[in-house]
Amino acid sequence: MPLIDFANPSRFLTLSGRILPWLSAATLIAFAFGIAQVIGAPDDYQQGATAKIMYIHVPSAWLSMFIWGTMSLAALGTLVWRHPLADVAAKAAAPIGAALTLQCLITGSLWGRPMWGTYWVWDGRLTSVLVLFLMYLGVLALWRTIEEPARAARATRGACDVPR
């Protein structure tokens, strides 16, 4: 079966319903393995145990920007092809991206305190992640305040800017 056949929502939902338990189990196993590796990792010779925060901070920063890019592509797919799953994908990705961006901000400030002596500096990278978090919250607020799903989808399609 070619990949384009999964653009049909019923076929996609049938396939995703079958493989979701297997993907969930694989995710839990990978997560447990990653946590075990972080716990067993040696301390850094300069930063000590504080460097272990980077094992969570850096992937959450990358994933938060990747999810925003995915939402932008989904918005493009909705605008160009008016595909019904594009809005669903963007709406499902937004809370995950917001949570990862918040996690990035928190772990970055926890690492920054012992390294820089302060929790926050108005650096361009830190500020752009804060702006990304505010943009996630804005998109989520738009979806919650507009009752009609089609109007909410049209309103959130304008958020196609990737910060950085």
Side-chain angles (χ1 to χ4, degrees), residues 91 94-95 98 135-145 156:
K91 195 170 186 178
M135 288 169 41
Y136 271 121
L137 293 181
V139 166
L140 290 170
L142 272 175
W143 271 319
R144 299 236 181 210
T145 56
T156 57

Side-chain angles (χ1 to χ4, degrees), residues 125-159:
R125 289 178 291 181
L126 278 70
T127 307
S128 68
V129 173
L130 178 64
V131 168
L132 177 63
F133 181 63
L134 294 175
M135 288 169 41
Y136 271 121
L137 293 181
V139 166
L140 290 170
L142 272 175
W143 271 319
R144 299 236 181 210
T145 56
I146 301 174
E147 287 86 15
E148 185 182 342
R151 281 187 57 214
R154 281 194 305 270
T156 57
R157 286 182 206 142

Side-chain angles (χ1 to χ4, degrees), residues 11-29:
R11 286 185 184 158
F12 176 77
L13 290 174
T14 301
L15 175 72
S16 66
R18 283 192 309 225
I19 65 172
L20 187 62
W22 295 99
L23 290 177
S24 299
T27 301
L28 286 175
I29 291 169

Side-chain angles (χ1 to χ4, degrees), residues 49-158:
T50 311
K52 291 183 182 182
I53 293 174
M54 290 299 131
Y55 297 139
I56 297 173
H57 172 73
V58 175
S60 64
W62 277 82
L63 283 172
S64 66
M65 289 183 285
F66 176 76
I67 289 172
W68 188 266
T70 302
M71 288 174 52
S72 299
L73 289 176
L76 182 68
T78 303
L79 286 171
V80 174
W81 296 287
R82 299 196 187 281
H83 198 278
L85 286 180
D87 278 332
V88 172
K91 195 170 186 178
I96 298 168
L100 286 170
T101 308
L102 180 64
Q103 179 177 327
C104 174
L105 288 169
I106 291 171
T107 56
S109 68
L110 289 175
W111 176 82
R113 175 68 176 144
M115 295 303 118
W116 297 334
T118 182
Y119 288 109
W120 183 264
V121 293
W122 288 100
D123 180 57
R125 289 178 291 181
L126 278 70
T127 307
S128 68
V129 173
L130 178 64
V131 168
L132 177 63
F133 181 63
L134 294 175
M135 288 169 41
Y136 271 121
L137 293 181
V139 166
L140 290 170
L142 272 175
W143 271 319
R144 299 236 181 210
T145 56
I146 301 174
E147 287 86 15
E148 185 182 342
R151 281 187 57 214
R154 281 194 305 270
T156 57
R157 286 182 206 142

